[in-house]
Amino acid sequence: MRKTYIAGVLGAGRMGKIHIENILYNIPNLKLKAVADINRNDKLEKWANTIGVPKLISDASEIINDPEINMVVIASSTDTHTRFIQEVAKAKKDIFCEKPIDTDLKRIKETLEIVKEEGVKLMIGFNRRFDKNFKRVREMVSSGQVGIPQIVKVTARDPAPPSIEYIRSSGGMLFDMTIHDWDMARFQVGSEIEEVYAKGAVLVDPEIGKAGDIDTTVLILKFKNGALGMIDNSRQAVYGYDQRVEVFGSKGCAIADNEPLNTVRLYTSEKIKEDNIPYFFLQRYMDSYAAELRYFIECLQENKEPSPNGEDGFQNVVIAIAAQKSYEENRPVKISEIVI
């Protein structure tokens, strides 16, 4: 019989709510005991009661110090991630943490050392690895069906830009948005990125530029195994949430395209028409959030190292820093230039 894990969740914002509902309804062998959120209020209490959260509290330490809880989901604000990872690890509990771990490499390194010393498992929430289409592309690559990977292309375009307030506090497009795509490129090719060249522009909203960020970027990647890559991002694709991956190799090519909202097509004498692609990221990736937690519980039950882990989280931040440097200095930057 497989062990059942008792979970606590830190943070009940948008991502926290997704994980909470999945734990309650979609993850076998995982039971929710408590949720902690510093912004506990009547609205949150009502939501928690409606979906059946057993206990809602405001003090994270109650979860961290609860001897019955043996697995913690960290979905609080980014600036709390390293502190909570360290505290939870020292309490000998396994950890699932939303990305990014942090934006400071030294702080990430210190945190990962504590995780290793305490002997607990840490998984970082790069959920797109668990999208059924992107996962299938990786299976084709790893099984040798496309041969030796030569080119990877990742397209990720949001349907509309976030608020300017969000832009100001996000850390920048290359950290906030593209961090998923560094991970996807590394995941698909099966090799580390050794050089990045970033070009960026403000083509969607001048206010984003005034806030110190870009809204459009194209990046060229060079991998240690010799493969090349390209990522393109935009804060606004008017037709929907555009998410595509292609891996071209010596034997062929695997492509994951956008899925329409349904498979119905209308055929007439004038045209063939199908419905649009999803507009919101939750429509596109909701299943992947449950899949990644199911996988993490499987890792705990079988005592195997999860992937993506803390080192993946660290590496993706290193690449983001290199890309920002490349954009600012208008030149290719080797990952080895980033001093920790």
Side-chain angles (χ1 to χ4, degrees), residues 10 268 294 324:
L10 307 183
T268 71
R294 283 194 291 266
Q324 187 67 35

Side-chain angles (χ1 to χ4, degrees), residues 280-297:
F280 191 44
F281 81 97
L282 291 182
Q283 291 175 294
R284 176 66 173 79
Y285 286 123
M286 184 59 83
D287 289 345
S288 69
Y289 292 112
E292 65 180 352
L293 270 183
R294 283 194 291 266
Y295 164 79
F296 185 52
I297 295 305

Side-chain angles (χ1 to χ4, degrees), residues 136-157:
R136 183 66 181 128
V137 171
R138 177 56 192 156
E139 289 169 353
M140 290 178 173
V141 174
S142 61
S143 66
Q145 294 180 65
V146 303
I148 298 171
Q150 297 172 343
I151 300 172
V152 60
K153 294 181 180 178
V154 180
T155 292
R157 302 168 186 163

Side-chain angles (χ1 to χ4, degrees), residues 161-306:
S163 67
I164 298 301
E165 290 73 23
Y166 178 88
I167 293 287
R168 291 194 183 104
S169 62
S170 69
M173 186 180 195
L174 299 175
F175 287 86
D176 167 60
M177 184 174 177
T178 318
I179 196 162
H180 276 292
D181 306 316
W182 312 129
D183 188 70
M184 181 54 60
R186 295 172 56 244
F187 172 62
Q188 294 294 352
V189 175
S191 179
E192 293 298 341
I193 296 168
E194 67 175 12
E195 184 179 277
V196 59
Y197 187 22
K199 300 292 287 186
V202 180
L203 303 176
V204 173
D205 184 352
E207 293 301 314
I208 293 176
K210 292 177 185 177
D213 201 7
I214 55 176
D215 55 36
T216 309
T217 185
V218 174
L219 305 112
I220 303 299
L221 313 175
K222 182 179 178 182
F223 293 83
K224 287 184 178 180
N225 67 358
L228 299 176
M230 186 181 81
I231 296 171
D232 77 85
N233 293 153
S234 173
R235 287 289 194 186
Q236 184 172 51
V238 295
Y239 50 85
Y241 191 51
D242 191 357
Q243 304 285 297
R244 290 172 279 152
V245 167
E246 174 184 323
V247 181
F248 172 82
S250 58
K251 292 183 180 179
C253 183
I255 299 174
D257 210 338
N258 289 307
E259 287 186 326
L261 290 170
N262 56 65
T263 62
V264 177
R265 291 188 182 92
L266 173 66
Y267 292 79
T268 71
S269 60
E270 298 176 347
K271 61 187 175 182
I272 298 174
K273 182 181 178 181
E274 65 180 10
D275 283 350
N276 290 341
I277 61 176
Y279 191 80
F280 191 44
F281 81 97
L282 291 182
Q283 291 175 294
R284 176 66 173 79
Y285 286 123
M286 184 59 83
D287 289 345
S288 69
Y289 292 112
E292 65 180 352
L293 270 183
R294 283 194 291 266
Y295 164 79
F296 185 52
I297 295 305
E298 178 185 300
C299 289
L300 299 184
Q301 291 170 331
E302 298 178 6
N303 194 29
K304 63 183 181 182
E305 180 66 17

Side-chain angles (χ1 to χ4, degrees), residues 6-12 16 20 23 30-38 40 44 53-76 83-85 87-96:
I6 308 300
V9 178
L10 307 183
I20 291 162
I23 294 170
L30 184 59
K31 181 180 178 181
L32 181 67
K33 182 173 183 182
V35 173
D37 193 292
I38 195 172
R40 179 184 176 191
L44 191 59
V53 172
K55 186 179 182 182
L56 179 64
I57 54 181
S58 56
D59 186 358
S61 66
E62 288 189 45
I63 287 176
I64 295 169
N65 297 320
D66 187 323
E68 187 182 14
I69 291 174
N70 51 14
M71 179 270 196
V72 175
V73 173
I74 300 174
S76 50
R83 174 168 62 89
F84 282 151
I85 291 172
E87 291 177 2
V88 174
K90 289 175 181 177
K92 302 293 186 181
K93 304 179 194 300
D94 296 305
I95 307 155
F96 179 96

